[in-house]
Amino acid sequence: PLQGEILASKQTLHKEIASPFVTEGYACLQALLLGSHLGLSPVTIEGDARTIIKKSQWGIRDKSMIGAIIWDIQQLKRSFHSIQFKDIPRSTNTLAHSVATNCLKNGRESYLIGNVSMVVDDGLLGRRKRESD
């Protein structure tokens, strides 16, 4: 795959999550599960939640409120030949936020290989056009 190419997207609804911080942890875990399911390696996980990215890189037991999620991430990392976690600015992570917003708005989960829904693409393209004007 080309650098920056979208290989797959997954929208998952979770109920009764304690905080946005925990949501970001679940998103990272879901990305790893998707990569593992698709047999991808190497894998780069990008996210704008710096704490989640840092805790996922470390190999030590985390005792915070998301410790169990981080533990699952650290265990799942072993299934990849090569894995990298990158902290990226929120401004460059607009596609992920558009996908999440679309999922919440529609109230349904989806799983797409090789693309994201056209609704998300159109919304993102419209936003980029407005930002460049």
Side-chain angles (χ1 to χ4, degrees):
L2 300 173
Q3 184 174 356
E5 181 181 1
I6 297 171
L7 299 177
S9 66
K10 181 178 181 180
Q11 299 174 10
T12 304
L13 290 171
H14 292 280
K15 296 184 185 197
E16 300 179 27
I17 291 186
S19 72
F21 182 61
V22 174
T23 301
E24 293 287 353
Y26 273 121
C28 185
L29 178 60
Q30 289 294 320
L32 283 173
L33 288 168
L34 180 59
S36 178
H37 176 75
L38 295 174
L40 301 176
S41 192
V43 171
T44 300
I45 303 296
E46 295 180 337
D48 58 31
R50 177 174 288 147
T51 302
I52 302 297
I53 295 297
K54 286 186 177 190
K55 287 177 181 273
S56 297
Q57 290 171 331
W58 299 338
I60 58 174
R61 184 78 172 176
D62 184 78
K63 295 180 182 176
S64 71
M65 67 186 239
I66 61 162
I69 298 168
I70 298 300
W71 175 256
D72 289 344
I73 289 169
Q74 291 171 348
Q75 298 307 303
L76 196 52
K77 286 186 337 185
R78 298 176 183 174
S79 66
F80 296 95
H81 176 265
S82 172
I83 188 164
Q84 181 178 15
F85 293 89
K86 286 187 178 178
D87 176 33
I88 61 172
R90 178 163 285 210
S91 61
T92 63
N93 204 16
T94 55
L95 181 58
H97 289 281
S98 294
V99 168
T101 300
N102 187 47
C103 180
L104 288 172
K105 196 183 302 183
N106 293 327
R108 65 174 190 239
E109 298 181 348
S110 69
Y111 180 85
L112 302 166
I113 302 295
N115 205 347
V116 292
S117 74
M118 292 308 292
V119 173
V120 172
D121 283 342
D122 290 346
L124 183 61
L125 291 175
R127 185 176 316 113
R128 282 189 182 157
K129 185 173 189 248
R130 286 190 302 273
E131 288 173 355
S132 65
D133 290 341

